[in-house]
Structures are given as C-alpha cells and as structure tokens.
Amino acid sequence: MGHGGGGTLSAELVEHLFAPAFGNAVLAELGDSARLPLGGARLAFSTDSFVVRPLFFPGGSIGDLAVNGTVNDLAMAGAVPAYLSCGFILEEGVELSVVGRVAEAMGEAARTAGVVIATGDTKVVDAGHGDGVFINTAGVGLIPDGVDIRPQRAAPGDVVLVSGPIGVHGVAIMSVREGLEFGVEIQSDTASLAGLVADMLAACPDLHVLRDPTRGGLATSLNEIAAAAGVGIAIHERSLPVPESVANACAFLGLDPLYVANEGKLVAFVAAEHADAVLAAMRAHPLGKESVAIGTCVPDHPGMVVAATRLGGTRVVDMPLGEQLPRIC
C-alpha cells in the first residue's frame, strides 16, 4: 500500500521501474501533467485513477474527485482544461443507483469546471475483485503563450504561497471511514482550481511553480519541488493554515497535518517582487480567500524542507515513506 501513497516508496517505484521502461524527455519532467507541443500549440496532458473509500463523504464523492483531480493537474501547468476521458471499473453486484449517483456528480463537477467529458470506457470485474467503483480520468488543456510553470523553476528568494486551510480532505475521509466524531463535521475541500489559477496568471504570468498537494500532503509537494529544483525551502509552522478542527483530529489520530491530503488547495512559488500581487489575486477568489505566505526558497540545504517551529527551533520536514491515510483519492 505504501507504494501507492505518493511518498518515498511511490517515487522509488517511478524512478526505478516505470521511468526506465517508458523513459523519454517528456516523462522526465515528472510534473503533475505532461507538456506537449502539438500543431503549433502547447498541450497539457494528465491522467489519474481514483480508488477512494468510501465512495461518498462529507463535501463530495469519488465522482467529484475524478473530475477535479485531473482538472487540477492540468491547471498546475497553467493550462486551461478542456476535455476529459472517463474510465469506470465496476465490481459485479454494485447497485446501478450508486453508479448513477457517481456519474451525476461527475457531470456536475465537469460543468462547474468548464470541461467536457468527451469519451470513456466501462469494465466490470468479478465480485470480490474490486471495491464498488474505481475511476480513471485523463484530460487535456491548452497552455497559454508565455506560461512556463514547472517544479524545476523554483529559485532562491521565491515566496511560497498556500491557497487555504490544509489537511481538510484527508480528515473528512477518515472521519466517515472510521465513524469518528470531532464535534463539527469536517467537509472535503474538493474543487476545481482552474479559475483560481487563471486569476493568479492574470496578476503575474510568470508564476514559477504550482502544485496541488494531494497524496502525501503539503510536505510531499514541497519535498518534490525542492528536489526537482535543487533548492532549500524554509517554512514557518506559525504561518501554516491548519484549521482547529483538523489540528484536533490529527492530534487525536496521531497524524501531522503537513502530510494529510488536500483536494482543493494549491501551493505556489512566486518571485518575491510579484508575491503581493499574486497573493491579493488569490484572496480575491472564493477558493483562495484564506491564502497565506508560509515561507521562502533559500540557497541553503538544497533538496531539503526545514520548518521553524513554534518553540523557536527548526526541524526537517521529510518526505513520507508511504501514506498516513491510504485510499483518500
């Protein structure tokens, strides 16, 4: 299970097994989506599979995730998402009413995101060889001229921005999966971030890096960016936007909010001279109204993420080995 968690084991699987088998210059960038030149245009192309359990949870469903997850991967390249494919793997015995609810959720999410589900496929596996519904989506979008967003562009002096409270999705899933009560209902933050990214690009077309910190949480995304760019990242624990409900739930469950998944947040690396304008644009958008700056890129400790603690010390924020909460997307 750890190999599917988005942490060190996942990275090793890609680096030592898949990359040598498929190796090419496009794949080597290892971004949230591939950047492809085609007919004079630049396309972003991404695919993702969704195996979340349970299928329905506070604030969303596997259908929402399947659309928003792929739309967001395209948006993290600065692309305008356009078309999705959709593959359903259904377990024998799953009720058609359940499949219908998932499909309706996907359709609504696609309309909200402004994309078209243009093609698809359905397979059925024997009872006991699936878990109700698995979904794969792939998507394409156009990258505007002049936009160059990739993890290798993070540079010393960049300001690190986060678009809002972290850890919400993972805790929402765990609360219903384990039947836990935290005093208030914690809802998933699943959402399409394409509109937020468009507003950020309007404020500054030269964004350096965008990532949506899903599996492995914010800590994993920061470590991946630090490694790709060969820079250090210094963050401040006091600046991290962790809601009280998430902090309490994580304390109860023995989790670190930095490693808990998000489905409607992004982290951005922006040159210092543009940071205020981008942050203002983020806060003016409904999905970024709680955006904050959490740290900077530094020339020290390249490839490493370090946090200044609330007690005045520092700690290394490592890449997780596997996943604290399996099957959250």
Side-chain angles (χ1 to χ4, degrees), residues 2-21:
H3 283 96
T8 300
L9 291 176
S10 290
E12 290 178 352
L13 191 66
V14 171
E15 180 181 353
H16 299 300
L17 193 154
F18 294 122

Side-chain angles (χ1 to χ4, degrees), residues 88-162:
F88 274 80
I89 299 174
L90 307 176
E91 183 184 14
E92 177 189 14
V94 65
E95 295 183 2
L96 290 179
S97 61
V98 171
V99 181
R101 287 178 62 194
V102 172
E104 288 291 336
M106 289 190 72
E108 181 60 32
R111 288 185 287 273
T112 299
V115 296
V116 174
I117 299 176
T119 187
D121 179 58
T122 305
K123 294 292 189 295
V124 177
V125 298
D126 296 333
H129 290 266
D131 198 0
V133 178
F134 294 156
I135 301 175
N136 172 272
T137 48
V140 294
L142 280 173
I143 302 174
D145 291 339
V147 172
D148 182 18
I149 300 173
R150 48 195 169 91
Q152 293 80 5
R153 291 199 66 209
D158 282 359
V159 177
V160 183
L161 308 175
V162 174

Side-chain angles (χ1 to χ4, degrees), residues 33-320:
S33 57
R35 301 182 303 152
L36 310 172
L38 189 65
R42 288 191 304 154
L43 297 182
F45 176 44
S46 186
T47 185
D48 207 345
S49 298
F50 299 85
V51 297
V52 64
R53 178 172 58 87
L55 299 177
F56 304 94
F57 45 83
S61 70
I62 191 172
D64 303 309
L65 292 185
V67 170
N68 293 334
T70 296
V71 164
N72 290 346
D73 283 347
L74 297 172
M76 295 308 106
V80 179
Y83 297 100
L84 302 184
S85 70
C86 167
F88 274 80
I89 299 174
L90 307 176
E91 183 184 14
E92 177 189 14
V94 65
E95 295 183 2
L96 290 179
S97 61
V98 171
V99 181
R101 287 178 62 194
V102 172
E104 288 291 336
M106 289 190 72
E108 181 60 32
R111 288 185 287 273
T112 299
V115 296
V116 174
I117 299 176
T119 187
D121 179 58
T122 305
K123 294 292 189 295
V124 177
V125 298
D126 296 333
H129 290 266
D131 198 0
V133 178
F134 294 156
I135 301 175
N136 172 272
T137 48
V140 294
L142 280 173
I143 302 174
D145 291 339
V147 172
D148 182 18
I149 300 173
R150 48 195 169 91
Q152 293 80 5
R153 291 199 66 209
D158 282 359
V159 177
V160 183
L161 308 175
V162 174
S163 64
I166 62 172
V168 179
H169 175 72
V171 172
I173 295 294
M174 183 57 71
S175 67
V176 292
R177 185 184 295 175
E178 304 298 336
L180 300 174
E181 298 280 349
F182 298 116
V184 296
E185 183 180 68
I186 300 174
Q187 295 212 356
S188 171
D189 57 350
T190 177
S192 164
L193 297 171
L196 174 60
V197 171
D199 286 359
M200 294 168 67
L201 286 170
C204 174
D206 191 29
L207 301 178
H208 289 175
V209 187
L210 294 175
R211 273 290 172 93
D212 59 331
T214 54
R215 290 180 308 168
L218 181 59
T220 295
S221 292
L222 294 177
N223 273 278
E224 289 173 345
I225 294 165
V231 297
I233 299 175
I235 63 174
H236 303 278
E237 283 191 348
R238 289 185 179 276
S239 300
L240 293 173
V242 181
E244 184 179 1
S245 57
V246 170
N248 292 340
C250 287
F252 177 75
L253 296 168
L255 305 176
D256 185 336
L258 273 170
Y259 296 94
V260 178
N262 314 272
E263 288 292 345
K265 301 295 185 299
L266 63 78
V267 57
F269 285 63
V270 184
E273 61 266 29
H274 301 305
D276 288 343
V278 173
L279 187 59
M282 293 170 72
R283 288 174 173 170
H285 191 280
L287 294 178
K289 59 186 179 181
E290 297 181 77
S291 298
V292 294
I294 64 166
T296 57
C297 263
V298 296
D300 306 321
H301 51 79
M304 185 180 297
V305 181
V306 173
T309 69
R310 296 176 183 273
L311 299 178
T314 59
R315 69 179 177 101
V316 174
V317 180
D318 286 323
M319 175 82 85

